[in-house]
Amino acid sequence: MNNQKLTQARARSYCEAIAQIFYEVRESRNPLDQELRRFFRNNKKYGSRDRRFISESLYSLYRWFGWVKDILPEQAPAIPSENKKFCSAITAVLCLDNLHREPVAEYISQLAGVNTQQVPKEKLDDKRLWMGKHFGLKKLNNSDLVPAWFVDELPKDFNLEELIIDLQKRPPMWIRLQGPQNKNNTLRELKERDFDIYPHAIMKKAIKIVNPRVNLYELKSFRDGQFEVQDLASQSLGFACNAQSGQRWWDVCAGAGGKTLLLADHMESKGGITSTDIREWKLDDLKKRAKRARFSNITTKNLKKTRSASKKRPYDGVLVDAPCSCTGTWRRNPDARWSSTAEDCEELAKIQTDILEKSAPGVKAGGVLVYATCSFSVRENEEIVENFLKNHPDFSLEDFPHPLTLKSTGGILRISPSPEDCDAMFAARFRRKI
């Protein structure tokens, strides 16, 4: 098969895969990354190059969905590569993300009959005008790139325009060096593999990696537990907690343990951390990660059993990294923009209040309580803090330095994607009175 026919065959196969996954995610509301894993697990014929194109196209499709939703067919086309509207939408989003120069992408643009010359590379306003010219979408607004309900969840002084610009950029990957830095070989291995790495100016263990070319989980330094993949905003939570060697901490909603490992590293594996969750399989993942990192001060327990025990023997510090709407991770998970609702924020706020109320008794007199989410929502953040303080006069906010700027926070931390190129994070640090 000559190169042209091979490109055409790949384009037809890719369009079919993209359509199948896209419409399945829209109908099921399952996370895109979950559906991608399932699809590739069931379709072994796709190699790494194929998987990359399909994955990038889908993430672009959801990133720019607010602008292309009126182009897309309502239902999955019978033959996606022969559906001009579907091919037009794929072409549009690949152009908007500057991924349109690959031969397969160029062939899909031919199927759509779209001229892909002079695509704007940077400015969002220029991209919007280009969309209007080439696709007849004259009434596009930048605010169309987020759901309408989301705007009402933001703080009143929030810069929505800046956030939308950030959300349309593909995120980098952040890692956290783990263990004694004088014994950590991660940076050397990354340099040997020719990674583009950017250590953070203040948080010395935080390393930004742009366009990683190999699987980080295959590196020897990862297998040796010398780093974890963790966003910069998430790493900042360790400085809000400021856990000290020899203390006892409780990570209430530990999940797979990213924050637990962060606390253990800050504590230099001294003292003790009780990590709880209602999902046993998540705790099983945490045990494996702790073993790889050689942390011996972590104990995993069922959340319900730990609550009663914590009242009898309270902790120096309690971290409540609460389940939330995860709007702060929309940059990495653009599909979630279009599956989340305002009702989710309302329901989650009730859950967050309940978890915080039931965890507070586990803080000893003079101890620290940290509440955190990866959400922008005032209902999930400031309102939770305000109501907690109203109902608990024995707690008060405690100032701590902003991990990324060292400026005073007054006890409340908000991190946005700009200027640090990361996810969003909210944290409040309370001190219980003696």
Side-chain angles (χ1 to χ4, degrees):
M1 188 181 292
N2 61 38
N3 287 342
Q4 184 178 6
K5 289 185 177 179
L6 180 60
T7 296
Q8 293 173 358
R10 288 172 59 209
R12 289 191 291 272
S13 178
Y14 292 175
C15 284
E16 184 177 341
I18 293 165
Q20 180 179 333
I21 299 168
F22 175 78
Y23 287 99
E24 173 60 31
V25 170
R26 290 290 293 162
E27 183 177 348
S28 67
R29 295 183 65 188
N30 290 335
L32 174 57
D33 58 352
Q34 176 182 309
E35 287 299 323
L36 278 167
R37 286 194 297 271
R38 182 192 60 79
F39 179 84
F40 291 133
R41 188 169 59 246
N42 295 335
N43 294 271
K44 303 292 187 184
K45 66 179 181 179
Y46 293 109
S48 59
R49 182 181 180 184
D50 308 322
R51 293 194 298 270
R52 183 174 65 252
F53 186 94
I54 293 168
S55 298
E56 286 183 341
S57 298
L58 281 159
Y59 276 98
S60 294
L61 196 52
Y62 276 105
R63 188 175 296 117
W64 300 97
F65 177 74
W67 280 2
V68 300
K69 64 180 185 295
D70 292 334
I71 301 176
L72 280 162
E74 289 189 14
Q75 305 294 328
I79 306 176
S81 59
E82 296 181 7
N83 187 289
K84 191 171 182 179
K85 292 179 71 176
F86 182 78
C87 291
S88 294
I90 297 300
T91 297
V93 299
L94 292 177
C95 287
L96 291 167
D97 271 344
N98 299 306
L99 299 171
H100 57 292
R101 290 305 179 200
E102 187 168 332
V104 169
E106 291 180 346
Y107 180 67
I108 294 174
S109 71
Q110 292 173 23
L111 295 174
V114 176
N115 183 345
T116 60
Q117 300 300 313
Q118 299 180 330
V119 177
K121 289 187 177 181
E122 296 294 336
K123 291 185 178 180
L124 192 58
D125 289 341
D126 292 341
K127 290 176 183 284
R128 189 184 68 248
L129 293 173
W130 179 85
M131 284 288 293
K133 178 181 178 181
H134 286 78
F135 297 92
L137 302 171
K138 302 297 185 182
K139 295 183 179 180
L140 293 181
N141 295 299
N142 290 354
S143 59
D144 295 333
L145 294 168
V146 295
W149 64 264
F150 174 65
V151 179
D152 294 330
E153 296 293 325
L154 297 172
K156 287 184 171 55
D157 59 348
F158 203 89
N159 190 328
L160 177 62
E161 189 70 16
E162 180 181 88
L163 173 60
I164 291 173
I165 291 171
D166 288 332
L167 289 175
Q168 298 315 110
K169 299 174 184 176
R170 285 180 290 169
M173 181 174 285
W174 286 91
I175 66 171
R176 175 178 56 80
L177 303 183
Q178 193 160 248
Q181 285 186 273
N182 62 341
K183 296 181 180 179
N184 198 303
N185 299 313
T186 301
L187 291 181
R188 184 177 66 190
E189 187 173 15
L190 291 173
K191 290 174 182 176
E192 289 173 352
R193 296 291 193 102
D194 199 30
F195 278 86
D196 296 327
I197 59 175
Y198 303 90
H200 193 268
I202 294 175
M203 289 174 52
K204 302 300 184 182
K205 287 191 172 185
I207 311 294
K208 181 167 73 171
I209 302 177
V210 179
N211 296 327
R213 287 172 286 277
V214 299
N215 188 342
L216 289 171
Y217 301 109
E218 295 176 354
L219 299 180
K220 183 179 185 301
S221 50
F222 176 78
R223 296 196 305 271
D224 290 344
Q226 295 189 351
F227 76 87
E228 288 287 335
V229 175
Q230 187 172 36
D231 188 77
L232 179 68
S234 183
Q235 294 185 46
S236 299
L237 196 53
F239 292 86
C241 293
N242 194 27
Q244 301 295 309
S245 297
Q247 289 184 335
R248 292 177 63 251
W249 273 76
W250 177 18
D251 184 0
V252 178
C253 306
K259 308 298 192 312
T260 294
L261 299 180
L262 176 67
L263 290 174
D265 196 43
H266 276 255
M267 295 166 67
E268 300 176 334
S269 198
K270 298 174 184 176
I273 304 171
T274 301
S275 300
T276 61
D277 206 282
I278 58 174
R279 301 160 295 180
E280 293 291 342
W281 62 274
K282 284 283 190 181
L283 296 178
D284 289 340
D285 286 344
L286 169 53
K287 291 174 186 176
K288 295 174 185 176
R289 296 173 72 184
K291 183 177 180 181
R292 185 181 66 243
R294 298 178 177 83
F295 287 131
S296 58
N297 63 332
I298 297 171
T299 302
T300 60
K301 292 183 179 180
N302 182 279
L303 174 58
K304 294 179 181 178
K305 295 178 181 178
T306 307
R307 279 175 175 156
S308 57
S310 68
K311 296 177 184 178
K312 298 175 183 177
R313 194 184 175 208
Y315 293 85
D316 296 290
V318 173
L319 169 60
V320 178
D321 182 19
C324 68
S325 61
C326 297
T327 53
T329 69
W330 277 359
R331 194 176 172 201
R332 281 189 291 118
N333 305 301
D335 55 299
R337 286 187 222 178
W338 311 107
S339 60
S340 302
T341 66
E343 289 72 26
D344 292 335
C345 294
E346 182 178 1
E347 187 61 33
L348 283 161
K350 297 174 184 175
I351 295 171
Q352 291 152 358
T353 297
D354 180 65
I355 294 173
L356 192 58
E357 286 286 336
K358 291 177 179 177
S359 303
V363 182
K364 75 177 188 180
V368 169
L369 172 63
V370 175
Y371 172 76
T373 75
C374 54
S375 169
F376 288 105
S377 172
V378 171
R379 270 196 285 188
E380 298 179 77
N381 296 328
E382 284 88 351
E383 288 186 12
I384 298 288
V385 170
E386 181 181 343
N387 290 332
F388 179 78
L389 289 171
K390 191 182 300 181
N391 296 325
H392 294 271
D394 54 331
F395 282 90
S396 60
L397 286 171
E398 180 175 70
D399 187 28
F400 62 94
H402 194 299
L404 307 179
T405 66
L406 301 182
K407 295 180 180 178
S408 173
T409 61
I412 290 183
L413 171 69
R414 260 196 184 272
I415 295 175
S416 291
S418 283
E420 299 290 352
D421 207 10
C422 61
D423 289 345
M425 175 65 67
F426 174 90
R429 177 183 170 94
F430 307 97
R431 176 74 69 175
R432 189 168 200 169
K433 297 175 183 176
I434 298 176

